[in-house]
């Protein structure tokens, strides 16, 4: 039964205290790697990557190997028999009977939760389409905790495409749970954060400002979280040419920044951070990638150790006739899945992908 | 020399007693996994998958890792340099000098035997085209032995495309070696078992019946082995629409079945078993996949331990001018292979693919 | 810092004594494998194969596993996120923070050196386009040392496409460093060794002869190093048809060879060695592939043990405005790389790809 083991689908399935325990464990692993080198001996992790993400997959594999465990998996669905019409349930059911922990990446929202419904072992969400990528957020939290010494009272700038960037949304949601943080949202008007996030920040009483110039904002920041704006996201080619350099971090802009700024980036970066910045000690995005291994080690160990009650996967209810309106929701591709919604008046929120549908 | 180590190419290369020993070893591994967790320490298994079969490959990899061994291999011939004109002999020769046991899957019949001819370590056949897939049959035998408690006196239904299904043919041949089994062959007229198999069952004095309705047959069965009928196998689109539901196992049909029926399927299933059946405790196909790991553990251990005389790979003789008439036989692609036939009057049976050619 | 650890980019970065130590270590590993079965326990090797080379990759993986280490990596750049615009520097930087040693294969010349510039762990060159493949050369040296007992005083024939064959060029350069070797270069006129190599042999006072007939040359040889001539390398189709058999090694030609000849081939072979030769004990190309595992074990162990000063990666100097004239040089694809040249009068030699550019 899927309820009998812990999964890691969404950061919000766990309280902040659980996050903090994980960060503390990751810190201890960094300090004392030898103490953890055998804790997963004899265990197998399967990575089911329905879309390629080489770096995320290697980060998980490294984490498991550093814990003394073993790895199986696939990363190339087109050459894989799992692409030949087998549903997600069957693949999950079978592979979870081979392995002790299952890491899934899939292009559809809610797929990791769907996998957890039938898996016989813990499932970790390594990215479900544009929906969640919670181990990236854990990585970001660990990076800030280790390099700033605290997750409180920070002025955090987010720069780039804030409308579509799931890593930005997740980190914003996470950091608003820690007191006294202040957010500076740096983007074009068209690519600002979604309305629901703005509402959430207001409701949480979070301090935040929206700005259009990285150059103006950078001097106030303790943390700068860079993301890319894809060319096609600008309203026109002319707008792209006019604005593209505004959101590129270079040496000149770094001159305006505090001496203890840290610059994060979920990677891969393309042009949004000039390579000249790499030598700046405030550029910590490569360290950030390495922190990703430690937090994944902490996560794998925690889930394999878990024997406490796990969060319910589908806490909502069945609503006759209701279907999720998100065409990229896994429930619209894998029809055997039980549909489940949280009801908010005449709005239904899908338990898989969090999309809200008006009844 | 290839003769100096044991291979596993065809179930029929070994006597029933050997099969039974393997089933007993798999049972012991299941009961006492810790006793076997290090038996392949320091050993390497190479999986050479010339066509993708993710699940079979992961099953073998899991088996080797659970024995404490290591894994290398490929699963994507199109992106592999082995596809660039290197013959099977050279690849086998080289990889078998790296590894301690070699698992091969290949689209051509007889390829595993061809590989064994030049390999410097034991070779396991993980599927050679439409010819054999003997570790699936071992998996099926272990599933029946564990869940029915015996391999004798069972009434076993095979449903679906019995003409083309190699897993069906193999399991039929294997189960007729155990006493008092009765076979119920459920299919359309066009997709019944091949004539040679019918002859073999007659010759063995096996009891069997051919039926067209799963609904009628199901009540008499101890075991139901489901396989898919592909749409294009029906004689016409009209016939497909008329008959497609007849060979789909659903909750309604399960109501007619014995309480101790077990339903097997080699997987992947597509539509031939409704997902509603998955919750039925008689649906054991996911357990069956897990049994596949244990029987492969037993097989790998047995072959690596083996020092007894191995079965001859090419017991037949060279016949001047004779070539195998099966265009999918490996001897018709890899021309350096010595041709070898068993002679049956004026019929030659290919030692690689078992095809019979009239001289 | 990249300078703080040893890399293996080019055989010529190390003195002949270092090569000899590596050969001696490989010999000891062959004799006493159990002594080395745990020396890399807890270490991770990443194989970054930007172009597929299944056999080379499996050879490295086997080497690391036989030393007790673990492996991660990719072999299929088209299905890998690293192909999505991430530069080599970032991928190297990140993966080298996961792993303890990094093995790279890449289609562009100088790529392994470029990777070493940013890597946080030792980098091994597993082939950088048509430029170098130094672990193949080490493999060849080990094969000769083990099977001929010496690397001195040998008459070594190279046969095939000597113009384009990088394995031939490398082995020639290496063997001329040992005394009293004599080289017989067997090829068409068009496919003889490049002028710079001929100059190098003259300068080193090496004895060598150029011949067009393998049949005539073979009787004088202690070693025959075979390579392929691709059909399109001949000056015309007529020329191909006339000459193709001249450069094929078969049983008839072997009859003219010494009884203690050894025949090497970097593999894969296509038609240039007839399969009938495989049974000849003088055909050692399969043994050669196995020696490749042992020399890679020695190399990995040596680099992971290294704490001595490593060779400088870019010993040359920056020349304002100068760019490498080799369009397949990595510096012409990855523009952030510092250009660096050795100056030879008005000729600049690129520190990455060794191409000479006239200023």
């Amino acid at each position: 039964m899927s309820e009998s083991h812990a999964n890691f689908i969404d950061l919000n399935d766990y309280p902040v205290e659980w996050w903090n325990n994980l960060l503390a464990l990751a810190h201890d692993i960094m300090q004392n790697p030898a103490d953890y080198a055998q804790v997963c001996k004899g265990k197998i992790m399967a990575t089911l990557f329905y879309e390629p993400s080489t770096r995320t997959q290697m980060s998980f594999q490294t984490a498991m190997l550093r814990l003394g465990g073993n790895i199986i998996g696939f990363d190339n669905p087109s050459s894989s028999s799992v692409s030949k019409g087998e549903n997600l349930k069957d693949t999950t059911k079978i592979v979870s009977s081979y392995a002790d922990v299952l890491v899934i990446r899939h292009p559809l929202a809610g797929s990791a939760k769907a996998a957890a419904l039938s898996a016989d072992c813990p499932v970790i969400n390594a990215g479900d389409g544009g929906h969640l990528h919670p181990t990236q957020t854990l990585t970001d939290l660990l990076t800030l905790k280790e390099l700033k010494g605290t997750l409180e009272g920070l002025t955090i700038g987010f720069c780039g495409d804030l409308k579509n960037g799931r890593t930005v949304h997740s980190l914003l949601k996470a950091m608003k749970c820690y007191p006294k943080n202040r957010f500076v949202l740096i983007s074009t008007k068209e690519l600002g954060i979604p309305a629901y996030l703005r509402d959430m920040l207001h409701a949480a009483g979070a301090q935040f400002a929206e700005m259009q110039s990285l150059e103006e904002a950078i001097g106030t920041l303790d943390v700068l979280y860079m993301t890319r704006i894809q060319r096609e996201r600008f309203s026109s080619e002319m707008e792209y040419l006019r604005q593209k350099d505004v959101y590129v971090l270079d040496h000149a802009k770094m001159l305006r920044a505090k001496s203890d700024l840290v610059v994060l980036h979920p990677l891969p970066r393309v042009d949004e951070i000039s390579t000249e910045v790499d030598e700046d000690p405030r550029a910590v995005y490569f360290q950030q990638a390495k922190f990703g291994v430690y937090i994944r080690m902490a996560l794998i160990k925690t889930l394999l150790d878990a024997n406490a009650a796990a969060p319910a996967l589908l806490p909502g209810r069945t609503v006759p006739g209701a279907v999720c309106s998100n065409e990229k929701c896994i429930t619209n591709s894998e029809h055997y899945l039980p549909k489940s919604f949280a009801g908010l008046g005449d709005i239904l929120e899908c338990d898989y992908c969090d999309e809200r549908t008006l009844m």
Side-chain angles (χ1 to χ4, degrees), chain A:
Chain A
M1 257 303 288
S2 57
E3 311 291 311
S4 62
H5 51 260
N7 300 293
F8 182 69
I9 307 301
D10 183 343
L11 206 52
N12 293 321
D13 291 338
Y14 292 95
V16 173
E17 188 190 359
W18 187 92
W19 310 353
N20 290 338
N21 289 340
L22 212 61
L23 298 174
L25 176 56
H27 182 83
D28 194 58
I29 292 172
M30 272 188 274
Q31 298 300 311
N32 308 291
D35 292 354
Y36 296 88
Q38 300 291 323
V39 299
C40 287
K41 193 170 161 65
K43 301 291 186 188
I44 295 175
M45 179 183 77
T47 52
L48 306 187
F49 273 51
Y50 285 85
E51 60 179 12
S53 178
T54 308
R55 199 123 35 52
T56 300
Q57 192 170 24
M58 286 200 285
S59 179
F60 272 108
Q61 291 170 331
T62 301
M64 189 58 171
L65 293 172
R66 295 272 182 221
L67 293 169
N70 294 302
I71 51 178
I72 60 171
F74 59 81
D75 63 352
N76 191 7
S78 64
S79 84
S80 160
S81 59
V82 298
S83 67
K84 293 178 195 158
E86 183 169 80
N87 67 32
L88 180 61
K89 177 188 181 180
D90 287 14
T91 302
T92 302
K93 190 83 190 160
I94 295 162
V95 181
S96 69
S97 81
Y98 297 170
D100 300 291
V101 58
L102 202 154
V103 177
I104 184 171
R105 186 176 187 106
H106 194 287
L108 295 179
S111 49
K113 181 167 286 189
L117 283 173
S118 55
D120 288 326
C121 72
V123 170
I124 296 175
N125 185 0
D128 59 337
H131 181 227
L132 298 169
H133 186 11
T135 62
Q136 178 65 51
T137 308
L138 286 175
T139 298
D140 299 340
L141 293 177
L142 181 61
T143 305
L144 292 180
K145 185 70 165 66
E146 293 296 318
L147 298 183
K148 300 303 293 183
T150 178
L151 294 172
E152 304 181 9
L154 298 171
T155 299
I156 306 167
F158 291 91
C159 178
D161 180 351
L162 308 187
K163 183 178 176 190
N164 302 290
R166 76 182 162 185
T167 56
V168 168
H169 302 173
S170 295
L171 187 56
L172 255 177
K173 288 183 210 169
M175 288 304 287
K176 77 156 177 44
C177 298
Y178 292 93
K180 297 183 195 161
N181 291 315
R182 190 175 165 275
F183 306 104
V184 183
L185 308 168
I186 308 154
S187 184
T188 66
K189 276 186 185 168
E190 293 81 6
L191 295 173
I193 58 167
Y196 88 92
L197 262 179
R198 201 173 287 116
D199 295 346
M200 184 183 293
L201 291 175
H202 278 304
Q207 275 195 63
F208 70 99
E210 298 190 66
M211 301 184 70
Q212 286 189 260
S213 164
L214 174 55
E215 196 166 18
E216 286 175 29
I218 197 169
T220 67
L221 305 178
D222 301 313
V223 176
L224 172 58
Y225 199 92
M226 290 294 298
T227 66
R228 184 159 36 126
I229 304 187
Q230 292 173 322
R231 190 178 190 129
E232 60 270 28
R233 300 286 194 199
F234 286 91
S235 55
S236 68
E237 180 71 14
M238 188 187 297
E239 192 64 16
Y240 168 72
L241 292 171
R242 202 171 64 82
Q243 294 224 35
K244 70 186 168 78
D245 293 336
V246 173
Y247 301 104
V248 170
L249 184 64
D250 56 16
H251 185 60
K253 293 195 187 81
M254 287 298 283
L255 288 175
R256 295 169 162 260
K258 289 187 188 174
S259 63
D260 64 349
L261 174 73
V262 292
V263 180
L264 278 70
H265 190 298
L267 303 178
R269 58 112 172 242
V270 181
D271 296 318
E272 62 277 15
I273 301 179
S274 168
T275 54
E276 71 194 17
V277 176
D278 297 355
E279 305 307 313
D280 193 308
R282 295 170 291 182
V284 303
Y285 29 87
F286 295 125
Q287 285 172 264
Q288 183 185 0
K290 182 153 194 175
F291 285 127
V293 174
Y294 293 111
I295 199 70
R296 289 182 176 100
M297 291 173 76
L299 178 63
I300 293 166
K301 182 181 186 311
T302 298
L303 292 182
L304 285 173
D305 288 350
N307 48 18
L313 287 165
L314 299 178
R317 59 192 170 86
T318 307
V319 178
V323 293
C324 178
S325 59
N326 177 5
E327 64 178 18
K328 294 196 167 174
C329 177
I330 189 75
T331 59
N332 288 317
S333 294
E334 308 261 336
H335 298 292
Y336 57 84
L337 288 169
K339 290 168 185 57
S340 179
F341 300 90
L344 310 159
D346 54 356
I347 292 174
L348 297 179
E349 190 175 273
C350 176
D351 267 347
Y352 293 84
C353 76
D354 302 320
E355 183 88 0
R356 293 179 181 188
T357 301
L358 187 66
M359 280 303 277

